[in-house]
Amino acid sequence: MKIDSFTVLAEQPADDPAIEALHDISFGPGRFVRAASLLREGVPHDPELSFVAKSGERLIGSVRLTPIRIGGRPAILLGPLAVVPEWKGRGAGKSLMRTSIAAAREAGHEVILLVGDEPYYGPFGFQRLRPYQITLPAPADPARVLVCPLTDDALEGLGGAAERAA
């Protein structure tokens, strides 16, 4: 029997080349025109909220969180979340998700936004709002615009344009 072994660690600057290579493999060049990518453009991800999964010295997954604003309110954008193909379905992505959400909550953030599949992200607390309650800087399927409230009142009055943080 083979046991999957990996560790979730805080992302380090030295991880950046491997993360960029993982994003190339996972999302291709078209990722740069997607709504979430446009929100991240020119805004550095938060290193305190960004994590990697490693098996030994090999980077097998990554998740980054980037500050944004929704209707003028501070928020965090989750993504990209990526795992190397041969490690998909083995728990690394879920561990990265749990770690990043816990870190965002502990840091005092109220809401996380992402564009993704509700069946995967729903169990982590992500949910849909009314279609176009949050607007993005490029077209996105409203069923894939999900938020995760980190406080009891995080969704009260939440809506408007999602924008890059200044």
Side-chain angles (χ1 to χ4, degrees):
M1 174 169 75
K2 182 176 187 301
I3 297 175
D4 294 336
S5 177
F6 62 87
T7 305
V8 173
L9 305 162
E11 180 185 320
Q12 300 299 314
D15 296 321
D16 197 55
I19 293 169
E20 290 305 317
L22 175 58
H23 292 170
D24 285 343
I25 291 166
S26 300
F27 306 112
R31 70 186 182 274
F32 296 112
V33 296
R34 294 184 181 149
S37 183
L38 294 174
L39 282 172
R40 288 189 294 270
E41 191 173 279
V43 180
H45 62 279
D46 187 333
E48 301 292 319
L49 305 178
S50 299
F51 299 90
V52 295
K54 290 187 175 183
S55 177
E57 294 299 313
R58 181 178 179 218
L59 187 135
I60 61 164
S62 166
V63 65
R64 287 178 164 171
L65 279 77
T66 303
I68 62 168
R69 298 186 73 70
I70 300 173
R73 286 175 53 184
I76 293 289
L77 176 68
L78 189 142
L81 168 68
V83 175
V84 296
E86 62 271 24
W87 275 84
K88 288 187 178 191
R90 294 164 69 179
K94 290 177 180 166
S95 291
L96 287 164
M97 286 295 300
R98 285 190 293 272
T99 302
S100 63
I101 292 167
R105 182 176 284 117
E106 188 174 308
H109 294 283
E110 294 184 8
V111 67
I112 302 172
L113 172 73
L114 66 76
V115 180
D117 297 325
E118 189 174 24
Y120 182 83
Y121 294 104
F124 299 104
F126 285 86
Q127 58 192 285
R128 289 187 221 174
L129 298 177
R130 291 186 328 272
Y132 306 106
Q133 183 171 336
I134 296 174
T135 56
L136 301 175
D141 178 352
R144 292 176 47 82
V145 177
L146 307 174
V147 295
C148 178
L150 301 177
T151 62
D152 291 340
D153 60 350
L155 301 184
E156 289 179 23
L158 182 68
E163 303 169 315
R164 290 182 201 118

PDB file of all heavy atoms in Angstrom, residues 130-160:
ATOM      1  N   ARG A 130     -26.729  36.066  -5.397  1.00  0.00           N
ATOM      2  CA  ARG A 130     -27.594  36.318  -6.558  1.00  0.00           C
ATOM      3  C   ARG A 130     -26.717  36.590  -7.778  1.00  0.00           C
ATOM      4  O   ARG A 130     -25.663  37.223  -7.648  1.00  0.00           O
ATOM      5  CB  ARG A 130     -28.500  37.520  -6.312  1.00  0.00           C
ATOM      6  CG  ARG A 130     -29.583  37.307  -5.274  1.00  0.00           C
ATOM      7  CD  ARG A 130     -30.542  38.502  -5.189  1.00  0.00           C
ATOM      8  NE  ARG A 130     -29.941  39.790  -5.474  1.00  0.00           N
ATOM      9  CZ  ARG A 130     -29.341  40.575  -4.574  1.00  0.00           C
ATOM     10  NH1 ARG A 130     -29.275  40.201  -3.322  1.00  0.00           N
ATOM     11  NH2 ARG A 130     -28.839  41.737  -4.926  1.00  0.00           N
ATOM     12  N   PRO A 131     -27.156  36.164  -8.958  1.00  0.00           N
ATOM     13  CA  PRO A 131     -26.351  36.456 -10.154  1.00  0.00           C
ATOM     14  C   PRO A 131     -26.068  37.960 -10.260  1.00  0.00           C
ATOM     15  O   PRO A 131     -26.963  38.787 -10.087  1.00  0.00           O
ATOM     16  CB  PRO A 131     -27.246  35.982 -11.303  1.00  0.00           C
ATOM     17  CG  PRO A 131     -28.084  34.907 -10.685  1.00  0.00           C
ATOM     18  CD  PRO A 131     -28.335  35.372  -9.262  1.00  0.00           C
ATOM     19  N   TYR A 132     -24.827  38.278 -10.499  1.00  0.00           N
ATOM     20  CA  TYR A 132     -24.327  39.643 -10.705  1.00  0.00           C
ATOM     21  C   TYR A 132     -24.423  40.526  -9.462  1.00  0.00           C
ATOM     22  O   TYR A 132     -24.298  41.737  -9.557  1.00  0.00           O
ATOM     23  CB  TYR A 132     -24.990  40.292 -11.915  1.00  0.00           C
ATOM     24  CG  TYR A 132     -24.845  39.421 -13.137  1.00  0.00           C
ATOM     25  CD1 TYR A 132     -25.925  38.701 -13.635  1.00  0.00           C
ATOM     26  CD2 TYR A 132     -23.610  39.281 -13.756  1.00  0.00           C
ATOM     27  CE1 TYR A 132     -25.777  37.864 -14.732  1.00  0.00           C
ATOM     28  CE2 TYR A 132     -23.449  38.444 -14.851  1.00  0.00           C
ATOM     29  CZ  TYR A 132     -24.533  37.741 -15.332  1.00  0.00           C
ATOM     30  OH  TYR A 132     -24.381  36.908 -16.411  1.00  0.00           O
ATOM     31  N   GLN A 133     -24.634  39.920  -8.291  1.00  0.00           N
ATOM     32  CA  GLN A 133     -24.552  40.695  -7.049  1.00  0.00           C
ATOM     33  C   GLN A 133     -23.127  41.238  -6.892  1.00  0.00           C
ATOM     34  O   GLN A 133     -22.924  42.331  -6.379  1.00  0.00           O
ATOM     35  CB  GLN A 133     -24.929  39.827  -5.849  1.00  0.00           C
ATOM     36  CG  GLN A 133     -24.949  40.567  -4.534  1.00  0.00           C
ATOM     37  CD  GLN A 133     -25.528  39.721  -3.414  1.00  0.00           C
ATOM     38  OE1 GLN A 133     -26.301  38.787  -3.648  1.00  0.00           O
ATOM     39  NE2 GLN A 133     -25.168  40.033  -2.180  1.00  0.00           N
ATOM     40  N   ILE A 134     -22.165  40.446  -7.362  1.00  0.00           N
ATOM     41  CA  ILE A 134     -20.777  40.889  -7.454  1.00  0.00           C
ATOM     42  C   ILE A 134     -20.427  40.870  -8.931  1.00  0.00           C
ATOM     43  O   ILE A 134     -20.628  39.863  -9.608  1.00  0.00           O
ATOM     44  CB  ILE A 134     -19.831  39.961  -6.672  1.00  0.00           C
ATOM     45  CG1 ILE A 134     -20.156  40.015  -5.175  1.00  0.00           C
ATOM     46  CG2 ILE A 134     -18.369  40.348  -6.916  1.00  0.00           C
ATOM     47  CD1 ILE A 134     -19.380  39.028  -4.338  1.00  0.00           C
ATOM     48  N   THR A 135     -19.928  41.986  -9.430  1.00  0.00           N
ATOM     49  CA  THR A 135     -19.522  42.045 -10.830  1.00  0.00           C
ATOM     50  C   THR A 135     -17.998  41.977 -10.920  1.00  0.00           C
ATOM     51  O   THR A 135     -17.294  42.492 -10.051  1.00  0.00           O
ATOM     52  CB  THR A 135     -20.044  43.316 -11.517  1.00  0.00           C
ATOM     53  OG1 THR A 135     -19.585  44.460 -10.788  1.00  0.00           O
ATOM     54  CG2 THR A 135     -21.576  43.323 -11.553  1.00  0.00           C
ATOM     55  N   LEU A 136     -17.540  41.342 -11.965  1.00  0.00           N
ATOM     56  CA  LEU A 136     -16.113  41.126 -12.160  1.00  0.00           C
ATOM     57  C   LEU A 136     -15.618  41.945 -13.343  1.00  0.00           C
ATOM     58  O   LEU A 136     -16.419  42.373 -14.175  1.00  0.00           O
ATOM     59  CB  LEU A 136     -15.846  39.634 -12.386  1.00  0.00           C
ATOM     60  CG  LEU A 136     -16.297  38.720 -11.235  1.00  0.00           C
ATOM     61  CD1 LEU A 136     -16.107  37.264 -11.600  1.00  0.00           C
ATOM     62  CD2 LEU A 136     -15.548  39.050  -9.962  1.00  0.00           C
ATOM     63  N   PRO A 137     -14.307  42.124 -13.462  1.00  0.00           N
ATOM     64  CA  PRO A 137     -13.770  42.965 -14.533  1.00  0.00           C
ATOM     65  C   PRO A 137     -13.757  42.305 -15.915  1.00  0.00           C
ATOM     66  O   PRO A 137     -13.297  42.907 -16.875  1.00  0.00           O
ATOM     67  CB  PRO A 137     -12.346  43.277 -14.063  1.00  0.00           C
ATOM     68  CG  PRO A 137     -11.998  42.132 -13.182  1.00  0.00           C
ATOM     69  CD  PRO A 137     -13.275  41.716 -12.520  1.00  0.00           C
ATOM     70  N   ALA A 138     -14.258  41.085 -16.016  1.00  0.00           N
ATOM     71  CA  ALA A 138     -14.376  40.379 -17.291  1.00  0.00           C
ATOM     72  C   ALA A 138     -15.538  39.393 -17.140  1.00  0.00           C
ATOM     73  O   ALA A 138     -15.940  39.073 -16.014  1.00  0.00           O
ATOM     74  CB  ALA A 138     -13.087  39.645 -17.621  1.00  0.00           C
ATOM     75  N   PRO A 139     -16.090  38.923 -18.245  1.00  0.00           N
ATOM     76  CA  PRO A 139     -17.209  37.978 -18.139  1.00  0.00           C
ATOM     77  C   PRO A 139     -16.825  36.716 -17.364  1.00  0.00           C
ATOM     78  O   PRO A 139     -15.718  36.204 -17.492  1.00  0.00           O
ATOM     79  CB  PRO A 139     -17.516  37.630 -19.599  1.00  0.00           C
ATOM     80  CG  PRO A 139     -16.972  38.764 -20.389  1.00  0.00           C
ATOM     81  CD  PRO A 139     -15.772  39.258 -19.631  1.00  0.00           C
ATOM     82  N   ALA A 140     -17.761  36.278 -16.540  1.00  0.00           N
ATOM     83  CA  ALA A 140     -17.609  35.030 -15.788  1.00  0.00           C
ATOM     84  C   ALA A 140     -19.001  34.453 -15.576  1.00  0.00           C
ATOM     85  O   ALA A 140     -19.961  35.209 -15.376  1.00  0.00           O
ATOM     86  CB  ALA A 140     -16.922  35.274 -14.451  1.00  0.00           C
ATOM     87  N   ASP A 141     -19.116  33.158 -15.621  1.00  0.00           N
ATOM     88  CA  ASP A 141     -20.381  32.490 -15.357  1.00  0.00           C
ATOM     89  C   ASP A 141     -20.801  32.825 -13.923  1.00  0.00           C
ATOM     90  O   ASP A 141     -20.075  32.517 -12.975  1.00  0.00           O
ATOM     91  CB  ASP A 141     -20.182  30.987 -15.531  1.00  0.00           C
ATOM     92  CG  ASP A 141     -21.423  30.165 -15.237  1.00  0.00           C
ATOM     93  OD1 ASP A 141     -22.441  30.712 -14.749  1.00  0.00           O
ATOM     94  OD2 ASP A 141     -21.379  28.950 -15.483  1.00  0.00           O
ATOM     95  N   PRO A 142     -21.969  33.453 -13.736  1.00  0.00           N
ATOM     96  CA  PRO A 142     -22.365  33.837 -12.371  1.00  0.00           C
ATOM     97  C   PRO A 142     -22.502  32.651 -11.424  1.00  0.00           C
ATOM     98  O   PRO A 142     -22.372  32.820 -10.212  1.00  0.00           O
ATOM     99  CB  PRO A 142     -23.694  34.568 -12.559  1.00  0.00           C
ATOM    100  CG  PRO A 142     -24.138  34.279 -13.938  1.00  0.00           C
ATOM    101  CD  PRO A 142     -22.947  33.863 -14.732  1.00  0.00           C
ATOM    102  N   ALA A 143     -22.726  31.455 -11.945  1.00  0.00           N
ATOM    103  CA  ALA A 143     -22.811  30.272 -11.087  1.00  0.00           C
ATOM    104  C   ALA A 143     -21.446  29.884 -10.528  1.00  0.00           C
ATOM    105  O   ALA A 143     -21.355  29.103  -9.580  1.00  0.00           O
ATOM    106  CB  ALA A 143     -23.401  29.101 -11.871  1.00  0.00           C
ATOM    107  N   ARG A 144     -20.380  30.432 -11.088  1.00  0.00           N
ATOM    108  CA  ARG A 144     -19.026  30.123 -10.627  1.00  0.00           C
ATOM    109  C   ARG A 144     -18.444  31.216  -9.735  1.00  0.00           C
ATOM    110  O   ARG A 144     -17.336  31.077  -9.232  1.00  0.00           O
ATOM    111  CB  ARG A 144     -18.111  29.874 -11.829  1.00  0.00           C
ATOM    112  CG  ARG A 144     -18.475  28.599 -12.587  1.00  0.00           C
ATOM    113  CD  ARG A 144     -17.641  28.400 -13.837  1.00  0.00           C
ATOM    114  NE  ARG A 144     -16.215  28.597 -13.655  1.00  0.00           N
ATOM    115  CZ  ARG A 144     -15.353  27.692 -13.168  1.00  0.00           C
ATOM    116  NH1 ARG A 144     -15.797  26.517 -12.810  1.00  0.00           N
ATOM    117  NH2 ARG A 144     -14.071  27.974 -13.063  1.00  0.00           N
ATOM    118  N   VAL A 145     -19.183  32.298  -9.523  1.00  0.00           N
ATOM    119  CA  VAL A 145     -18.733  33.381  -8.641  1.00  0.00           C
ATOM    120  C   VAL A 145     -19.193  33.010  -7.232  1.00  0.00           C
ATOM    121  O   VAL A 145     -20.390  33.028  -6.935  1.00  0.00           O
ATOM    122  CB  VAL A 145     -19.292  34.747  -9.083  1.00  0.00           C
ATOM    123  CG1 VAL A 145     -18.867  35.838  -8.113  1.00  0.00           C
ATOM    124  CG2 VAL A 145     -18.835  35.065 -10.503  1.00  0.00           C
ATOM    125  N   LEU A 146     -18.244  32.649  -6.393  1.00  0.00           N
ATOM    126  CA  LEU A 146     -18.538  32.115  -5.066  1.00  0.00           C
ATOM    127  C   LEU A 146     -17.863  32.948  -3.983  1.00  0.00           C
ATOM    128  O   LEU A 146     -16.787  33.505  -4.203  1.00  0.00           O
ATOM    129  CB  LEU A 146     -18.037  30.672  -4.964  1.00  0.00           C
ATOM    130  CG  LEU A 146     -18.505  29.699  -6.050  1.00  0.00           C
ATOM    131  CD1 LEU A 146     -17.804  28.352  -5.875  1.00  0.00           C
ATOM    132  CD2 LEU A 146     -20.005  29.528  -6.031  1.00  0.00           C
ATOM    133  N   VAL A 147     -18.496  33.002  -2.827  1.00  0.00           N
ATOM    134  CA  VAL A 147     -17.912  33.692  -1.683  1.00  0.00           C
ATOM    135  C   VAL A 147     -17.942  32.784  -0.463  1.00  0.00           C
ATOM    136  O   VAL A 147     -18.815  31.933  -0.321  1.00  0.00           O
ATOM    137  CB  VAL A 147     -18.643  35.025  -1.358  1.00  0.00           C
ATOM    138  CG1 VAL A 147     -18.474  36.021  -2.478  1.00  0.00           C
ATOM    139  CG2 VAL A 147     -20.108  34.783  -1.058  1.00  0.00           C
ATOM    140  N   CYS A 148     -16.974  32.999   0.407  1.00  0.00           N
ATOM    141  CA  CYS A 148     -16.918  32.280   1.674  1.00  0.00           C
ATOM    142  C   CYS A 148     -16.912  33.319   2.792  1.00  0.00           C
ATOM    143  O   CYS A 148     -15.948  34.082   2.935  1.00  0.00           O
ATOM    144  CB  CYS A 148     -15.650  31.434   1.745  1.00  0.00           C
ATOM    145  SG  CYS A 148     -15.445  30.534   3.306  1.00  0.00           S
ATOM    146  N   PRO A 149     -18.003  33.392   3.562  1.00  0.00           N
ATOM    147  CA  PRO A 149     -18.016  34.332   4.687  1.00  0.00           C
ATOM    148  C   PRO A 149     -17.140  33.805   5.820  1.00  0.00           C
ATOM    149  O   PRO A 149     -17.206  32.636   6.174  1.00  0.00           O
ATOM    150  CB  PRO A 149     -19.491  34.375   5.089  1.00  0.00           C
ATOM    151  CG  PRO A 149     -20.048  33.052   4.645  1.00  0.00           C
ATOM    152  CD  PRO A 149     -19.256  32.642   3.438  1.00  0.00           C
ATOM    153  N   LEU A 150     -16.327  34.664   6.378  1.00  0.00           N
ATOM    154  CA  LEU A 150     -15.443  34.273   7.472  1.00  0.00           C
ATOM    155  C   LEU A 150     -15.921  34.808   8.815  1.00  0.00           C
ATOM    156  O   LEU A 150     -15.345  34.466   9.850  1.00  0.00           O
ATOM    157  CB  LEU A 150     -14.018  34.758   7.186  1.00  0.00           C
ATOM    158  CG  LEU A 150     -13.402  34.216   5.894  1.00  0.00           C
ATOM    159  CD1 LEU A 150     -12.017  34.828   5.668  1.00  0.00           C
ATOM    160  CD2 LEU A 150     -13.335  32.705   5.896  1.00  0.00           C
ATOM    161  N   THR A 151     -16.939  35.665   8.773  1.00  0.00           N
ATOM    162  CA  THR A 151     -17.582  36.169   9.997  1.00  0.00           C
ATOM    163  C   THR A 151     -19.085  36.012   9.816  1.00  0.00           C
ATOM    164  O   THR A 151     -19.576  35.846   8.692  1.00  0.00           O
ATOM    165  CB  THR A 151     -17.241  37.652  10.261  1.00  0.00           C
ATOM    166  OG1 THR A 151     -17.741  38.440   9.176  1.00  0.00           O
ATOM    167  CG2 THR A 151     -15.740  37.865  10.401  1.00  0.00           C
ATOM    168  N   ASP A 152     -19.820  36.083  10.902  1.00  0.00           N
ATOM    169  CA  ASP A 152     -21.270  35.874  10.847  1.00  0.00           C
ATOM    170  C   ASP A 152     -21.982  36.882   9.949  1.00  0.00           C
ATOM    171  O   ASP A 152     -22.968  36.544   9.312  1.00  0.00           O
ATOM    172  CB  ASP A 152     -21.877  35.926  12.253  1.00  0.00           C
ATOM    173  CG  ASP A 152     -21.470  34.733  13.096  1.00  0.00           C
ATOM    174  OD1 ASP A 152     -21.057  33.693  12.524  1.00  0.00           O
ATOM    175  OD2 ASP A 152     -21.548  34.834  14.331  1.00  0.00           O
ATOM    176  N   ASP A 153     -21.514  38.112   9.909  1.00  0.00           N
ATOM    177  CA  ASP A 153     -22.209  39.152   9.157  1.00  0.00           C
ATOM    178  C   ASP A 153     -21.498  39.542   7.859  1.00  0.00           C
ATOM    179  O   ASP A 153     -21.809  40.562   7.252  1.00  0.00           O
ATOM    180  CB  ASP A 153     -22.409  40.387  10.025  1.00  0.00           C
ATOM    181  CG  ASP A 153     -21.096  40.978  10.520  1.00  0.00           C
ATOM    182  OD1 ASP A 153     -20.034  40.333  10.354  1.00  0.00           O
ATOM    183  OD2 ASP A 153     -21.124  42.086  11.076  1.00  0.00           O
ATOM    184  N   ALA A 154     -20.584  38.722   7.385  1.00  0.00           N
ATOM    185  CA  ALA A 154     -19.747  39.077   6.232  1.00  0.00           C
ATOM    186  C   ALA A 154     -20.542  39.329   4.959  1.00  0.00           C
ATOM    187  O   ALA A 154     -20.129  40.141   4.130  1.00  0.00           O
ATOM    188  CB  ALA A 154     -18.718  37.989   5.977  1.00  0.00           C
ATOM    189  N   LEU A 155     -21.669  38.672   4.782  1.00  0.00           N
ATOM    190  CA  LEU A 155     -22.418  38.806   3.535  1.00  0.00           C
ATOM    191  C   LEU A 155     -23.454  39.927   3.572  1.00  0.00           C
ATOM    192  O   LEU A 155     -24.027  40.255   2.529  1.00  0.00           O
ATOM    193  CB  LEU A 155     -23.088  37.478   3.174  1.00  0.00           C
ATOM    194  CG  LEU A 155     -22.142  36.294   2.995  1.00  0.00           C
ATOM    195  CD1 LEU A 155     -22.904  35.062   2.544  1.00  0.00           C
ATOM    196  CD2 LEU A 155     -21.013  36.625   2.042  1.00  0.00           C
ATOM    197  N   GLU A 156     -23.676  40.527   4.738  1.00  0.00           N
ATOM    198  CA  GLU A 156     -24.650  41.613   4.848  1.00  0.00           C
ATOM    199  C   GLU A 156     -24.195  42.807   4.018  1.00  0.00           C
ATOM    200  O   GLU A 156     -23.130  43.368   4.246  1.00  0.00           O
ATOM    201  CB  GLU A 156     -24.842  42.029   6.309  1.00  0.00           C
ATOM    202  CG  GLU A 156     -25.572  40.990   7.124  1.00  0.00           C
ATOM    203  CD  GLU A 156     -25.728  41.396   8.570  1.00  0.00           C
ATOM    204  OE1 GLU A 156     -25.675  42.611   8.883  1.00  0.00           O
ATOM    205  OE2 GLU A 156     -25.897  40.489   9.401  1.00  0.00           O
ATOM    206  N   GLY A 157     -24.994  43.163   3.023  1.00  0.00           N
ATOM    207  CA  GLY A 157     -24.706  44.308   2.177  1.00  0.00           C
ATOM    208  C   GLY A 157     -23.565  44.089   1.189  1.00  0.00           C
ATOM    209  O   GLY A 157     -23.139  45.025   0.528  1.00  0.00           O
ATOM    210  N   LEU A 158     -23.069  42.865   1.091  1.00  0.00           N
ATOM    211  CA  LEU A 158     -21.959  42.588   0.193  1.00  0.00           C
ATOM    212  C   LEU A 158     -22.451  42.601  -1.260  1.00  0.00           C
ATOM    213  O   LEU A 158     -23.415  41.918  -1.593  1.00  0.00           O
ATOM    214  CB  LEU A 158     -21.313  41.245   0.491  1.00  0.00           C
ATOM    215  CG  LEU A 158     -20.098  40.888  -0.362  1.00  0.00           C
ATOM    216  CD1 LEU A 158     -18.927  41.811  -0.042  1.00  0.00           C
ATOM    217  CD2 LEU A 158     -19.701  39.425  -0.144  1.00  0.00           C
ATOM    218  N   GLY A 159     -21.800  43.358  -2.094  1.00  0.00           N
ATOM    219  CA  GLY A 159     -22.135  43.391  -3.499  1.00  0.00           C
ATOM    220  C   GLY A 159     -21.434  44.552  -4.178  1.00  0.00           C
ATOM    221  O   GLY A 159     -20.788  45.371  -3.539  1.00  0.00           O
ATOM    222  N   GLY A 160     -21.549  44.556  -5.499  1.00  0.00           N
ATOM    223  CA  GLY A 160     -20.922  45.623  -6.278  1.00  0.00           C
ATOM    224  C   GLY A 160     -19.745  45.094  -7.063  1.00  0.00           C
ATOM    225  O   GLY A 160     -19.555  43.896  -7.223  1.00  0.00           O
TER     226      GLY A 160
END
